[in-house]
């Protein structure tokens, strides 16, 4: 069999020194990807459907207390713990390094969710509705997931696909910065940068070499596609 | 027929269908990116430029429209305020458009007031009722009409002013709790210019905020969010430093390197103590002082009573902290100090403002790269703020107001202590222009629903966030969903129906009026310019040279920050209360995405909460999620408690925006409105009461707070697990 290769390895940088915890990315993601509206009860059961969340950590005690924000989304691991456990190959790896989820293959065993150390996979425990005319906002590019299906961040694969078509039509590669997921596009402080890690000149590749870089739960050996840049710095000038 | 030709045709008919829907007078939609050759392609989205009016920042947006439906909002990269970025509130504009509980036709009250019983009527009938009522008012006394709106700017400000002038009534109230007009007055006092400041955050090396939450709501959150990112990591060798002075660690303060939890109302004194240290150590910028007419020696003498130990004691912080802040601020160049709403609305807010800005003068931070400049704000400023409101309430109480026209949701956003809500009940005829059945619409006899932002024409002038004059154009990007009319059109039609008694009656539609207004302001006076404005969604002006500079006014007169005064006896009400705007203010509570969005600091969803320091909570026997009662001399609310490590032990805080009786299925009955706690004790001659100067008591009621948090409370402290 021919080995699938791709000139793209999509990756993301999240600069924690820039992130202000504003939450714009969370709503942008929800808008772009038809993420379900969850009521209080559903969230109280721990079943919020957001693909992206802002973790907030308290460090220290009053008055020397500090706060750290950590946007967490699917890390698109290159050794993804969610993939081998899926009995029907709904969770798979694509040649661009994306961790994909085939909704109409998913049978809802939730093994992948259990095996994800970042707890970013969300399961449709309920049938979600968009009361009319709220359904008008649903994006035609993204499937609405029914009950019993696992879903998660796709790096806005529909946008990547669109950019690929455009690039192919023009007979070129996707330019650096040409495609951005919804979160990166809206982030006011430009904390999120997205691009092709396989291109050493791309902004993400350059930023990934920063001495501030680390990966989330690195010791688990999942090899995430997301590199975080450490925040904080001089406590005083 | 070839497939391509067919697609072309069907694309065109789809296009005409779309255009016919929302365009009456041959207006064309001009997409932001002109598509390559064939106009609208089925299945392929177009982007249209417009503007967000959900807060005073006035960001530019691009709306992705696919087959006549608005799908996704992005920031407009050509808009200098937000440069393609957007906040969560702006993202949620589509939900405002497609909200399932919008008012779809004009409504007439059919039950008791406040019962929520309305019957649908036609626009003809609605306009008949409205004009008949206003005609009656015209006969019985022209000043018996009131108009209550949010602080508009641009053409809508002109139109409302003209309308009221034509009607002959002075009662146009544009009250806002975070009062831009108060801020403008404060800047006029300090700098002789009512322009709000533009912080050159991206170029500064040290930013010192006194209660200014510039990453959440202060002036222009998206712009300053962008600038903050630049300040931190946008330069190769410099990482800007950020210190925050204020009793509560807000979302903005959470990004600070240093948090100084000064007691509420002492921020100005801290600034003056810093000024004294700077002068004593001769760290000040002599040139800046003399250019602004200040004599260092006499200023230092005037500051004698602000010696560090005394102020530190007063503010409840370490003396060393003040000294360090002062030295860092004065020796890191460029530096800038900002001061925000929660300091403003203390009893000594005016003096504190002056004190903080004195710091900017001391380090030469005016009109300088990395310092502060006057922003290019709207030329038409708000009218009849708090003073106008107080007069109106008095008149309404005395039965001297016979008709009140209401836009926005003042019933919910004005503190009850002003008496507005109760006085409104005495007005025989109340008309609301709300697009959703909010608390104000519930109190109305007639509802003439406005169109939503994405269906409307308009101009949006940002209050800050840019030094060049900017006009953002709002255009309908989809056909109107319901039988609604723009507020401006209704005003014009009313004026015309009253036989040109009102001066604004000359124009026919609001779109014409808007074009005329833009023309007057030198924008878009040719069709080509108008088309360009439609396409870009933003019109840029030229920066106003030397005249657009701040200069300290009032010379060396030393600001004197008196000790703050609070409402409520300290024994009975031992805690200070802070109320702060949240994503739910300005109509955000009605939108499910924003209710579902966990508040970043507390991760609470779909609710209100009160933040309590862990020590205080322990003393009061309160655990996280308990139902507590917060009481002030004015009123009380019951809501769940959050144990919040980033707040002074003598302070509690409640976010604003929730607690509506109505407002659609997503807002109704969710959370509480802390405005019922605030007292309106305005000082004599004050332009604004001290909303942040109320004391409260907190008492545990039961363990049943019904609080839902997205994050696990214990997980909140385990940052070592993920190495951040
Ligand atoms: S939009 Fe950017 S700054 Fe805001 S929470 Fe997300 S990553 Fe952080
Ligand atoms: S900052 Fe204000 S104007 Fe800008 S997107 Fe958010 S709500 Fe709209």
């Amino acid at each position: 069999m021919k080995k699938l290769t791709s000139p793209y390895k999509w990756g993301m940088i999240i600069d924690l020194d820039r992130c202000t915890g504003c939450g714009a990315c969370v709503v942008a993601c929800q808008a772009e990807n038809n993420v379900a509206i969850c009521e209080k009860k559903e969230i109280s059961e721990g079943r919020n459907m957001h693909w992206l969340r802002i973790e907030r950590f308290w460090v220290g005690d009053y008055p020397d207390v500090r706060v750290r924000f950590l946007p967490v989304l699917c890390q698109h691991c290159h050794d993804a713990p969610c993939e081998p456990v899926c009995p029907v190959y709904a969770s798979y790896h694509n040649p661009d390094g994306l961790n994909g989820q085939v909704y109409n293959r998913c049978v809802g065993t939730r093994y992948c969710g259990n095996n994800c150390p970042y707890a970013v996979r969300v399961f449709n425990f309920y049938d979600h509705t968009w009361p009319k005319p709220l359904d008008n906002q649903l994006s035609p590019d993204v499937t609405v997931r029914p009950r019993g299906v696992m879903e998660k961040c796709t790096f806005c694969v529909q946008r990547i696909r669109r950019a690929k078509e455009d690039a192919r039509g023009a007979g070129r590669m996707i330019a650096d910065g040409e495609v951005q997921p919804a979160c990166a596009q809206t982030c006011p402080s430009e904390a999120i940068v997205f691009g092709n890690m396989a291109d050493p000149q791309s902004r993400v590749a350059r930023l990934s070499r920063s001495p501030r870089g680390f990966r989330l739960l690195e010791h688990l050996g999942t090899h995430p596609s997301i590199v975080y840049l450490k925040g904080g710095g001089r406590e005083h000038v | 027929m070839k497939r391509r030709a067919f697609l072309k045709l069907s694309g065109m008919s789809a296009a005409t269908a779309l255009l016919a829907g929302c365009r009456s007078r041959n207006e064309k939609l001009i997409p932001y990116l002109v598509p390559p050759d064939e106009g609208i392609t089925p299945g392929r989205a177009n982007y249209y430029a417009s503007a967000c009016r959900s807060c005073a920042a006035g960001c530019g947006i691009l709306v992705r429209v696919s087959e006549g439906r608005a799908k996704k909002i992005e920031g407009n990269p050509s808009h200098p305020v937000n440069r393609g970025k957007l906040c969560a509130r702006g993202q949620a504009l589509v939900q405002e458009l497609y909200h399932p509980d919008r008012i779809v036709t004009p409504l007439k009250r059919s039950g008791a007031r406040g019962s929520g019983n309305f019957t649908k009527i036609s626009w003809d009938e609605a306009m008949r009722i409205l004009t008949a009522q206003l005609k009656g008012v015209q006969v019985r006394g022209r000043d018996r009409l009131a108009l209550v709106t949010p602080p508009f700017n641009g053409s809508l400000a002109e139109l409302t002013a003209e309308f009221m002038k034509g009607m002959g009534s002075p009662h146009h109230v544009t009250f806002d709790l975070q009062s831009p007009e108060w801020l403008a007055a404060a800047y006029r006092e300090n700098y002789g210019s009512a322009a709000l400041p533009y912080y050159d955050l991206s170029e500064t090396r040290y930013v010192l905020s006194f209660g200014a939450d510039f990453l959440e709501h202060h002036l222009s959150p998206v712009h300053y969010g962008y600038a903050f990112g630049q300040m931190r990591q946008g330069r190769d060798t410099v990482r800007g430093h950020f210190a925050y002075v204020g009793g509560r660690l807000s979302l903005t303060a959470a990004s600070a390197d240093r948090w100084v939890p000064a007691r509420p109302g002492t921020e100005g004194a801290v600034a003056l103590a810093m000024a004294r240290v700077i002068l004593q150590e001769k760290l000040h910028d002599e040139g800046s002082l003399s250019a602004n007419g200040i004599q260092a020696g006499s200023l230092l003498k005037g500051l004698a009573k602000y010696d560090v130990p005394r102020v530190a004691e007063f503010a409840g912080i370490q003396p060393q902290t003040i000294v360090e802040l002062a030295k860092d601020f004065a020796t890191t160049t460029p530096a800038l100090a900002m001061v925000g709403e929660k300091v403003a609305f203390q009893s000594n807010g005016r003096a504190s403002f002056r004190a903080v800005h004195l710091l900017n003068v001391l380090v030469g931070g005016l009109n300088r790269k990395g310092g502060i400049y006057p922003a290019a704000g709207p030329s038409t400023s708000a009218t009849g703020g708090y003073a106008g409101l107080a007069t109106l309430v008095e008149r309404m109480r005395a039965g001297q107001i016979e008709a009140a026209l209401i836009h926005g949701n003042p019933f919910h956003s004005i503190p009850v202590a002003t008496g507005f809500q109760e006085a409104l009940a005495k007005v025989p005829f109340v008309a609301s222009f709300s697009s959703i059945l909010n608390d104000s619409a519930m109190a109305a006899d007639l509802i003439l629903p406005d169109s939503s932002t994405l269906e409307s024409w308009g101009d949006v002038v940002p209050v800050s966030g840019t030094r060049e004059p900017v006009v953002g154009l709002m255009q309908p990007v989809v056909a109107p969903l319901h039988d609604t009319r723009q507020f401006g059109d209704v005003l014009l039609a009313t004026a015309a129906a009253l036989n040109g008694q009102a001066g604004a009656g000359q124009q026919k539609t609001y779109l014409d009026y808007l074009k005329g207004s833009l023309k007057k302001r030198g924008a878009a006076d040719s069709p080509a310019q108008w088309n360009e404005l439609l396409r870009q969604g933003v019109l840029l002006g030229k920066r106003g040279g030397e005249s657009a500079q701040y200069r300290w006014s009032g010379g060396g007169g030393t600001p004197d920050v008196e000790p703050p005064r609070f409402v409520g006896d300290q024994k009975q009400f031992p805690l200070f209360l802070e109320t702060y705007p949240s994503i739910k203010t300005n109509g955000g509570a009605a939108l499910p995405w924003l209710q579902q969005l966990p508040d970043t600091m507390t991760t609470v969803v779909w609710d209100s909460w009160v933040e309590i320091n862990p020590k205080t909570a322990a003393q009061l026997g309160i655990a996280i999620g308990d139902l507590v009662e917060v009481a002030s001399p004015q009123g009380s609310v019951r809501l769940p408690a959050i144990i919040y490590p980033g707040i002074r032990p003598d302070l509690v805080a409640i976010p604003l925006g929730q607690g509506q009786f109505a407002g659609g299925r997503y807002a109704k009955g969710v959370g509480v409105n802390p405005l019922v706690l605030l007292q309106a004790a305005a000082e004599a001659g004050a332009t604004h009461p001290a909303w942040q100067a109320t004391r409260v008591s907190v008492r545990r009621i039961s363990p049943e707070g019904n609080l839902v948090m997205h994050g696990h409370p214990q997980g909140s402290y385990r940052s070592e697990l993920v190495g951040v």
Side-chain angles (χ1 to χ4, degrees):
Chain A
M1 208 172 89
K2 206 177 131 223
K3 201 164 173 267
L4 291 174
T5 52
S6 161
Y8 301 109
K9 277 278 169 286
W10 300 114
M12 184 179 270
I13 305 292
I14 301 182
D15 189 338
L16 302 180
D17 205 26
R18 287 181 183 244
C19 175
T20 66
C22 73
C25 50
V26 179
V27 179
C29 166
Q30 184 162 24
E32 173 74 19
N33 292 300
N34 299 339
V35 172
I37 296 163
C38 300
E39 308 216 320
K40 191 169 179 178
K41 175 171 169 288
E42 197 175 342
I43 303 176
S44 76
E45 295 161 346
R47 294 171 177 178
N48 197 355
M49 298 297 295
H50 282 157
W51 290 2
L52 161 57
R53 65 178 188 268
I54 312 292
E55 296 270 1
R56 181 270 297 109
F57 297 101
W58 292 104
V59 186
D61 291 309
Y62 179 88
D64 295 315
V65 61
R66 298 179 53 75
V67 169
R68 308 218 179 273
F69 300 125
L70 181 74
V72 183
L73 58 157
C74 172
Q75 305 287 310
H76 292 272
C77 313
H78 292 306
D79 291 297
C82 58
E83 288 168 11
V85 294
C86 180
V88 294
Y89 303 102
S91 174
Y92 78 113
H93 218 69
N94 91 356
D96 291 2
L98 296 186
N99 170 253
Q101 175 77 0
V102 187
Y103 299 132
N104 56 8
R105 212 184 261 172
C106 173
V107 293
T109 62
R110 293 186 272 136
Y111 293 162
C112 56
N114 286 341
N115 231 29
C116 168
Y118 306 102
V120 290
R121 298 183 146 255
V122 288
F123 186 68
N124 284 276
F125 279 94
Y126 300 98
D127 262 324
H128 294 102
T129 54
W130 282 261
K132 279 191 183 329
L134 212 49
D135 55 344
N136 279 318
Q137 72 183 207
L138 291 174
S139 163
D141 300 346
V142 181
T143 327
V144 175
R145 286 77 56 185
R147 195 175 133 201
V149 167
M150 190 60 89
E151 60 180 69
K152 58 153 202 91
C153 159
T154 65
F155 271 173
C156 290
V157 67
Q158 66 279 10
R159 292 184 175 206
I160 299 177
R161 239 178 251 140
R162 223 182 288 148
K164 272 191 177 167
E165 275 166 27
D166 288 350
R168 199 179 301 130
R172 58 173 174 84
M173 288 270 286
I174 298 177
D176 193 26
E178 186 179 338
V179 53
Q180 296 186 75
C183 55
Q185 184 169 6
T186 210
C187 173
S189 59
E190 294 194 322
I192 308 179
V193 182
F194 180 81
N196 183 9
M197 290 279 194
D199 168 11
Q201 294 310 313
S202 70
R203 209 165 147 217
V204 275
R206 273 181 288 133
L207 284 168
S208 74
R209 297 189 285 265
S210 158
R212 293 192 291 130
F214 72 100
R215 289 176 173 80
L216 212 51
L217 303 180
E218 225 162 349
H219 57 281
L220 299 179
T222 53
H223 300 111
S225 298
I226 300 183
V227 177
Y228 289 86
L229 305 183
K230 265 202 169 57
R234 308 163 297 172
E235 297 290 307
H236 307 300
V237 183
Chain B
M1 191 192 273
K2 279 216 193 97
R3 182 172 171 272
R4 188 173 174 81
F6 169 74
L7 284 181
K8 228 176 191 169
L9 270 183
S10 56
M12 268 157 61
S13 55
T16 20
L18 164 71
L19 296 182
C22 57
R23 238 116 288 261
S24 34
R25 288 157 303 279
N26 300 328
E27 281 301 331
K28 264 199 280 171
L29 278 182
I30 307 206
Y32 181 74
L33 295 171
V34 181
D37 50 358
E38 39 197 287
I40 295 175
T41 316
R44 190 91 188 179
N46 270 320
Y47 288 88
Y48 295 102
S50 189
C52 176
R53 56 173 173 184
S54 302
C55 84
C59 300
I61 59 175
L62 291 184
V63 188
R64 179 162 191 255
V65 179
S66 179
E67 270 130 47
R69 295 189 181 89
K71 294 298 179 188
K72 175 81 175 57
I73 316 279
E74 308 291 355
N76 181 349
S78 319
H79 200 292
V81 167
N82 59 316
R83 307 167 194 237
K85 307 298 178 183
L86 218 53
C87 78
R89 180 71 183 78
Q91 286 287 343
L93 278 175
V94 267
Q95 293 206 316
E96 223 169 83
L97 171 66
Y98 294 125
H99 197 290
D101 298 327
R102 271 183 67 184
I103 301 173
V104 298
T105 66
L107 298 176
K108 192 172 83 175
R109 179 168 62 85
S110 57
R113 249 199 207 169
S115 67
N117 292 330
F118 291 93
T119 29
K120 294 186 175 178
I121 55 173
S122 68
W123 270 103
D124 284 346
E125 191 181 347
M127 291 304 292
R128 255 198 314 277
I129 300 176
L130 181 66
T131 40
Q133 289 285 349
L134 296 192
K135 264 192 189 130
V137 172
Q138 292 282 291
V139 174
R140 288 188 299 275
R142 290 166 63 110
D143 63 347
R144 294 181 164 238
L145 171 72
L147 176 66
V148 183
T149 68
F152 291 133
N153 61 40
S155 67
L156 213 46
E158 287 168 28
L159 176 58
T160 44
E162 246 174 73
F163 177 81
M164 288 308 274
K165 201 166 148 229
M167 299 299 291
S169 168
H171 302 302
H172 178 198
V173 172
T174 59
F175 175 76
D176 182 272
L177 202 64
Q178 302 300 315
S179 191
E181 120 242 11
W182 187 101
L183 296 182
Y187 282 98
R188 187 175 306 116
E189 188 174 291
N190 289 328
Y191 293 125
S193 152
L196 296 179
Y198 174 81
Y199 309 118
D200 194 8
L201 204 58
S202 51
E203 292 294 343
T204 201
R205 292 188 59 195
Y206 192 106
V207 48
L208 178 60
S209 168
F210 290 83
D213 292 330
F214 59 94
L215 298 173
E216 296 153 79
H217 51 79
H218 178 65
L219 298 182
S220 197
V222 177
H223 182 84
Y224 293 125
Y226 175 84
F228 180 79
Q230 290 296 310
M231 175 197 104
R232 285 299 206 197
Q233 294 294 338
R235 294 167 290 182
D236 276 347
T237 50
V238 182
R239 176 182 184 269
H241 187 88
F242 172 25
Y244 187 96
V245 181
R248 170 179 177 264
L249 191 80
S250 62
L251 181 70
T252 300
S255 292
D257 301 286
R258 181 166 202 169
W259 174 47
V260 182
R263 184 175 288 137
T266 64
E267 296 89 347
V270 172
L272 290 182
M274 283 177 62
R276 190 161 178 266
V277 173
I278 293 172
L279 285 165
Q280 273 173 337
E281 307 266 331
K282 304 228 177 314
L283 300 173
H284 59 274
D285 180 331
E286 195 56 61
S288 166
L289 281 193
S290 53
N292 285 289
I294 299 177
Q295 214 271 314
S298 63
L299 180 59
L300 185 56
K301 243 182 255 139
L303 292 174
K305 72 175 183 185
Y306 296 94
D307 73 304
V308 171
R310 215 192 112 254
V311 171
E313 160 101 47
F314 176 48
I317 54 179
Q318 294 299 318
Q320 196 48 34
T321 306
I322 297 182
V323 176
E324 281 168 14
L325 276 183
K327 287 189 181 164
D328 290 348
F329 183 71
T331 54
T332 318
T333 324
L336 72 88
M338 50 171 93
V339 49
E341 291 81 355
K342 69 181 79 164
V343 176
F345 303 127
Q346 298 287 350
S347 65
N348 56 9
R350 253 333 218 279
S352 301
F353 248 63
R354 197 164 168 81
V356 171
H357 280 287
L358 184 62
L359 288 178
N360 281 320
V361 179
L362 276 179
V363 300
L366 299 190
N367 317 307
R368 170 174 89 181
K369 194 169 155 186
I372 72 168
Y373 298 94
S379 51
T380 40
S381 69
T383 51
Y386 182 72
L389 176 70
T391 322
L392 177 63
V393 169
E394 228 168 78
R395 290 289 174 93
M396 292 199 296
R397 271 208 189 113
Q400 290 165 346
I401 299 291
E402 293 189 15
L405 311 181
I406 296 186
H407 195 282
N409 196 5
F411 202 89
H412 177 258
S413 61
I414 293 183
V416 280
T418 59
F420 175 78
Q421 287 82 347
E422 152 234 340
L424 191 67
K426 294 227 170 83
V427 178
F429 174 74
V430 177
S432 159
F433 299 90
S434 180
S435 56
I436 196 159
L437 200 63
N438 60 21
D439 291 4
S440 305
M442 289 287 276
D445 307 300
L446 181 69
I447 305 175
L448 305 115
D450 195 355
S451 301
S452 93
T453 299
L454 300 182
E455 302 163 318
S456 297
W457 289 105
D459 53 340
V460 177
V461 188
V463 290
S464 172
T466 168
R467 291 174 61 206
E468 289 82 31
V470 171
V471 182
L473 186 79
M474 222 166 80
Q475 62 169 325
V477 296
V478 294
L481 224 55
H482 307 298
D483 191 14
T484 57
R485 282 189 196 170
Q486 272 200 254
F487 175 55
D489 277 321
V490 177
L491 280 190
L492 287 164
T494 313
L498 292 172
N499 281 333
Q501 284 176 27
Q506 274 51 287
Q507 314 281 342
K508 265 192 118 161
T509 66
Y510 176 57
L511 178 57
D512 293 335
Y513 187 89
L514 170 67
K515 282 184 179 171
S517 162
L518 286 172
K519 209 172 192 169
K520 257 190 286 167
R521 283 178 271 156
D525 43 8
S526 73
Q529 270 177 326
W530 172 257
N531 282 351
E532 191 51 22
L533 183 56
L534 278 186
R535 193 182 73 76
Q536 293 258 351
V538 47
L539 201 102
L540 304 175
K542 287 224 164 43
R543 186 180 299 167
E546 282 300 296
S547 63
Q549 295 227 328
Y550 273 154
R551 194 174 178 280
W552 191 245
S553 63
T558 344
D560 190 14
V561 180
E562 288 174 5
R565 280 182 307 277
F566 292 88
V567 174
D569 168 57
Q570 186 169 357
K571 269 231 171 66
Q572 201 184 345
F573 302 103
L575 300 166
F576 300 114
L577 171 70
E578 180 178 317
T579 52
Y580 61 94
S582 71
I583 194 102
K584 318 288 186 339
T585 25
N586 296 332
L591 311 178
W593 281 344
L594 302 184
Q595 288 283 6
Q596 184 184 347
L597 174 68
D599 169 71
T600 310
M601 295 303 281
T602 62
T603 76
V604 174
V605 292
W606 293 93
D607 214 337
S608 296
W609 60 90
V610 53
E611 293 157 13
I612 309 175
N613 180 287
K615 230 170 82 199
T616 314
Q619 278 165 9
L620 297 170
I622 295 169
I624 195 160
D626 282 359
L627 184 71
V628 299
E629 182 177 81
V630 180
S632 78
Q634 179 68 32
S636 69
V637 291
R638 288 190 174 189
L639 74 175
I642 278 281
I643 310 301
Y644 197 87
I647 194 164
R648 287 180 59 87
D650 56 2
L651 179 67
V652 296
I654 306 177
L656 294 165
Q658 300 274 38
Q660 300 194 49
F661 307 111
R665 66 188 76 178
Y666 303 113
K668 189 174 174 178
V670 174
V672 302
N673 186 359
L675 291 183
V676 302
L677 299 170
L678 305 188
Q679 231 173 30
E683 312 275 312
T687 49
H688 216 83
W691 297 122
Q692 298 293 5
T694 305
R695 287 179 160 280
V696 293
S697 64
V698 177
R699 176 167 74 93
R700 181 175 182 273
I701 301 293
S702 77
E704 305 293 321
N706 192 19
L707 185 76
V708 174
M709 282 177 290
H710 182 49
H712 193 283
Q714 250 135 43
S716 301
Y717 300 92
R718 304 299 306 275
S719 64
E720 80 284 358
L721 281 181
V722 284
V724 295

